[in-house]
Amino acid sequence: WVFRSQKALSVAEVTRTKEHLQQRLQWLTGTRSSLTVLPTREGYFLFAFTGVSHALSDLQVFTLTQSTPLKWKTKGDAGLWVDSGLGSQDLEQIDFGYAQGQWQLRLKYQGGGVEQLAQLTRQQVNQPLAIFVGDRLISSPIIQEPILEGEAVITGTFSQAEVEQLVQAIRWAKTAVNLDFVGATAIY
């Protein structure tokens, strides 16, 4: 499996991308694979996996190569979800847990994100506020009261695997470098 960066990368970006790709491929396939990084003349990088024992679906390739940002959205005039401007850029911490019989996604904002979340939830009291990861709506709770301290707990009908995938996708989006899938070759 070979992936190509969509831009020239710094050494730090190469290191971070390599670590994320190895973690994500292991998470998707359940196996650890060898990863080789090769520079191109243009300053781009190729990330080549060896030892991947089975084919990846189109969705898995997309998951490996594209960042999936977290976005908070409100209902617009036409009843469609509208981006509020708050996303994963000011997330300090993201994890998951289990409480009261439900899996939870836990988000903690820092800096300007704390005030953005407070203002957004003040405006949305008794109204829905949607949380999207990429294009996937993961929850649209009715806001009961403003979230003033920057810590949100999102519950839903998540399984443990789903909430783990959401956490991984959001973490990846915070540090991701988008990649192009170059191709795969099977050697028997």
Side-chain angles (χ1 to χ4, degrees):
W1 291 91
V2 179
F3 301 93
R4 180 182 164 272
S5 63
Q6 292 181 353
K7 65 174 188 159
L9 303 177
S10 69
V11 172
E13 288 174 314
V14 170
T15 301
R16 192 173 56 238
T17 300
K18 181 178 177 180
E19 289 170 1
H20 281 288
L21 280 172
Q22 286 177 314
Q23 289 172 358
R24 289 175 72 82
L25 190 66
Q26 183 173 358
W27 171 65
L28 286 170
T29 65
T31 60
R32 185 120 174 110
S33 301
S34 175
L35 176 62
T36 303
V37 180
L38 305 166
T40 67
R41 279 183 270 202
E42 302 85 19
Y44 296 87
F45 286 84
L46 297 175
F47 297 86
F49 284 100
T50 56
V52 178
S53 61
H54 69 281
L56 297 177
S57 69
D58 289 343
L59 177 60
Q60 289 173 318
V61 170
F62 177 80
T63 301
L64 272 170
T65 59
Q66 304 300 311
S67 63
T68 311
L70 171 89
K71 293 184 179 180
W72 296 75
K73 297 185 180 188
T74 59
K75 283 277 187 173
D77 294 334
L80 302 174
W81 293 113
V82 178
D83 192 346
S84 70
L86 181 62
S88 50
Q89 66 277 7
D90 288 317
L91 269 177
E92 177 183 359
Q93 183 178 350
I94 177 168
D95 63 13
F96 65 92
Y98 189 80
Q100 301 171 341
Q102 290 184 309
W103 286 100
Q104 303 173 335
L105 180 63
R106 298 179 185 144
L107 308 171
K108 182 177 180 182
Y109 280 88
Q110 64 183 355
V114 174
E115 183 51 38
Q116 269 188 290
L117 183 59
Q119 184 171 347
L120 182 60
T121 55
R122 272 190 213 104
Q123 295 168 351
Q124 292 299 118
V125 171
N126 297 320
Q127 296 179 58
L129 181 61
I131 300 99
F132 283 79
V133 175
D135 292 332
R136 179 180 170 203
L137 173 66
I138 63 165
S139 185
S140 58
I142 303 297
I143 300 301
Q144 303 298 320
E145 60 186 42
I147 301 171
L148 303 176
E149 302 297 319
E151 295 185 30
V153 176
I154 301 161
T155 58
T157 57
F158 311 125
S159 67
Q160 181 178 356
E162 287 172 323
V163 78
E164 286 175 2
Q165 289 174 7
L166 290 171
V167 168
Q168 290 293 334
I170 296 166
R171 285 182 180 157
W172 172 254
K174 286 185 57 69
T175 59
V177 171
N178 285 341
L179 304 170
D180 291 322
F181 177 64
V182 175
T185 302
I187 299 173
Y188 298 99

